[in-house]
PDB file of all heavy atoms in Angstrom:
ATOM      1  N   THR A 480     -20.822   3.004  19.867  1.00 97.00           N
ATOM      2  CA  THR A 480     -22.152   2.400  19.835  1.00 97.00           C
ATOM      3  C   THR A 480     -22.408   1.694  21.189  1.00 97.00           C
ATOM      4  O   THR A 480     -23.527   1.780  21.759  1.00 97.00           O
ATOM      5  CB  THR A 480     -22.277   1.452  18.659  1.00 97.00           C
ATOM      6  OG1 THR A 480     -21.789   2.044  17.466  1.00 97.00           O
ATOM      7  CG2 THR A 480     -23.745   1.050  18.406  1.00 97.00           C
ATOM      8  N   SER A 481     -21.384   0.981  21.628  1.00 97.00           N
ATOM      9  CA  SER A 481     -21.513   0.275  22.944  1.00 97.00           C
ATOM     10  C   SER A 481     -21.776   1.269  24.073  1.00 97.00           C
ATOM     11  O   SER A 481     -22.628   1.037  24.895  1.00 97.00           O
ATOM     12  CB  SER A 481     -20.291  -0.550  23.234  1.00 97.00           C
ATOM     13  OG  SER A 481     -20.046  -1.466  22.241  1.00 97.00           O
ATOM     14  N   ALA A 482     -20.981   2.372  24.037  1.00 96.00           N
ATOM     15  CA  ALA A 482     -21.154   3.375  25.128  1.00 96.00           C
ATOM     16  C   ALA A 482     -22.554   3.988  25.067  1.00 96.00           C
ATOM     17  O   ALA A 482     -23.165   4.204  26.141  1.00 96.00           O
ATOM     18  CB  ALA A 482     -20.105   4.490  24.945  1.00 96.00           C
ATOM     19  N   MET A 483     -23.058   4.238  23.861  1.00 96.00           N
ATOM     20  CA  MET A 483     -24.415   4.830  23.795  1.00 96.00           C
ATOM     21  C   MET A 483     -25.544   3.931  24.247  1.00 96.00           C
ATOM     22  O   MET A 483     -26.452   4.330  24.976  1.00 96.00           O
ATOM     23  CB  MET A 483     -24.686   5.254  22.311  1.00 96.00           C
ATOM     24  CG  MET A 483     -24.000   6.505  21.885  1.00 96.00           C
ATOM     25  SD  MET A 483     -24.554   7.149  20.287  1.00 96.00           S
ATOM     26  CE  MET A 483     -23.867   5.930  19.154  1.00 96.00           C
ATOM     27  N   VAL A 484     -25.390   2.651  23.934  1.00 96.00           N
ATOM     28  CA  VAL A 484     -26.473   1.715  24.318  1.00 96.00           C
ATOM     29  C   VAL A 484     -26.432   1.458  25.833  1.00 96.00           C
ATOM     30  O   VAL A 484     -27.469   1.311  26.496  1.00 96.00           O
ATOM     31  CB  VAL A 484     -26.416   0.399  23.520  1.00 96.00           C
ATOM     32  CG1 VAL A 484     -25.400  -0.569  24.084  1.00 96.00           C
ATOM     33  CG2 VAL A 484     -27.768  -0.271  23.412  1.00 96.00           C
ATOM     34  N   ILE A 485     -25.222   1.517  26.414  1.00 96.00           N
ATOM     35  CA  ILE A 485     -25.075   1.367  27.817  1.00 96.00           C
ATOM     36  C   ILE A 485     -25.678   2.591  28.542  1.00 96.00           C
ATOM     37  O   ILE A 485     -26.432   2.470  29.526  1.00 96.00           O
ATOM     38  CB  ILE A 485     -23.620   1.138  28.245  1.00 96.00           C
ATOM     39  CG1 ILE A 485     -23.140  -0.190  27.746  1.00 96.00           C
ATOM     40  CG2 ILE A 485     -23.406   1.275  29.747  1.00 96.00           C
ATOM     41  CD1 ILE A 485     -21.634  -0.449  27.825  1.00 96.00           C
ATOM     42  N   LYS A 486     -25.390   3.795  27.985  1.00 94.00           N
ATOM     43  CA  LYS A 486     -25.914   4.994  28.539  1.00 94.00           C
ATOM     44  C   LYS A 486     -27.444   5.026  28.481  1.00 94.00           C
ATOM     45  O   LYS A 486     -28.096   5.542  29.412  1.00 94.00           O
ATOM     46  CB  LYS A 486     -25.321   6.219  27.750  1.00 94.00           C
ATOM     47  CG  LYS A 486     -25.445   7.502  28.569  1.00 94.00           C
ATOM     48  CD  LYS A 486     -24.740   8.659  27.859  1.00 94.00           C
ATOM     49  CE  LYS A 486     -25.073   9.966  28.594  1.00 94.00           C
ATOM     50  NZ  LYS A 486     -24.914  11.101  27.726  1.00 94.00           N
ATOM     51  N   ALA A 487     -27.982   4.511  27.392  1.00 94.00           N
ATOM     52  CA  ALA A 487     -29.435   4.429  27.235  1.00 94.00           C
ATOM     53  C   ALA A 487     -30.072   3.373  28.143  1.00 94.00           C
ATOM     54  O   ALA A 487     -31.298   3.237  28.202  1.00 94.00           O
ATOM     55  CB  ALA A 487     -29.781   4.225  25.783  1.00 94.00           C
ATOM     56  N   GLY A 488     -29.224   2.548  28.768  1.00 94.00           N
ATOM     57  CA  GLY A 488     -29.746   1.520  29.653  1.00 94.00           C
ATOM     58  C   GLY A 488     -30.386   0.350  28.923  1.00 94.00           C
ATOM     59  O   GLY A 488     -31.201  -0.395  29.521  1.00 94.00           O
ATOM     60  N   LEU A 489     -30.012   0.159  27.666  1.00 94.00           N
ATOM     61  CA  LEU A 489     -30.651  -0.901  26.881  1.00 94.00           C
ATOM     62  C   LEU A 489     -29.782  -2.153  26.742  1.00 94.00           C
ATOM     63  O   LEU A 489     -30.112  -3.110  26.024  1.00 94.00           O
ATOM     64  CB  LEU A 489     -31.029  -0.378  25.482  1.00 94.00           C
ATOM     65  CG  LEU A 489     -32.123   0.658  25.381  1.00 94.00           C
ATOM     66  CD1 LEU A 489     -32.184   1.254  23.950  1.00 94.00           C
ATOM     67  CD2 LEU A 489     -33.478   0.026  25.740  1.00 94.00           C
ATOM     68  N   ASN A 490     -28.610  -2.073  27.399  1.00 95.00           N
ATOM     69  CA  ASN A 490     -27.614  -3.081  27.050  1.00 95.00           C
ATOM     70  C   ASN A 490     -27.850  -4.524  27.627  1.00 95.00           C
ATOM     71  O   ASN A 490     -27.337  -5.484  27.075  1.00 95.00           O
ATOM     72  CB  ASN A 490     -26.216  -2.607  27.532  1.00 95.00           C
ATOM     73  CG  ASN A 490     -26.189  -2.178  28.951  1.00 95.00           C
ATOM     74  OD1 ASN A 490     -27.089  -1.478  29.469  1.00 95.00           O
ATOM     75  ND2 ASN A 490     -25.209  -2.678  29.659  1.00 95.00           N
ATOM     76  N   ASN A 491     -28.671  -4.609  28.613  1.00 95.00           N
ATOM     77  CA  ASN A 491     -28.903  -5.969  29.188  1.00 95.00           C
ATOM     78  C   ASN A 491     -30.117  -6.615  28.674  1.00 95.00           C
ATOM     79  O   ASN A 491     -31.209  -6.062  28.758  1.00 95.00           O
ATOM     80  CB  ASN A 491     -28.921  -5.902  30.723  1.00 95.00           C
ATOM     81  CG  ASN A 491     -27.552  -5.630  31.303  1.00 95.00           C
ATOM     82  OD1 ASN A 491     -26.539  -6.173  30.770  1.00 95.00           O
ATOM     83  ND2 ASN A 491     -27.465  -4.792  32.323  1.00 95.00           N
ATOM     84  N   GLY A 492     -29.949  -7.793  28.070  1.00 96.00           N
ATOM     85  CA  GLY A 492     -31.122  -8.536  27.509  1.00 96.00           C
ATOM     86  C   GLY A 492     -31.768  -7.764  26.388  1.00 96.00           C
ATOM     87  O   GLY A 492     -32.967  -7.771  26.246  1.00 96.00           O
TER      88      GLY A 492
END
Side-chain angles (χ1 to χ4, degrees):
T480 314
S481 301
M483 283 190 290
V484 83
I485 291 168
K486 199 173 172 204
L489 292 170
N490 55 313
N491 288 321

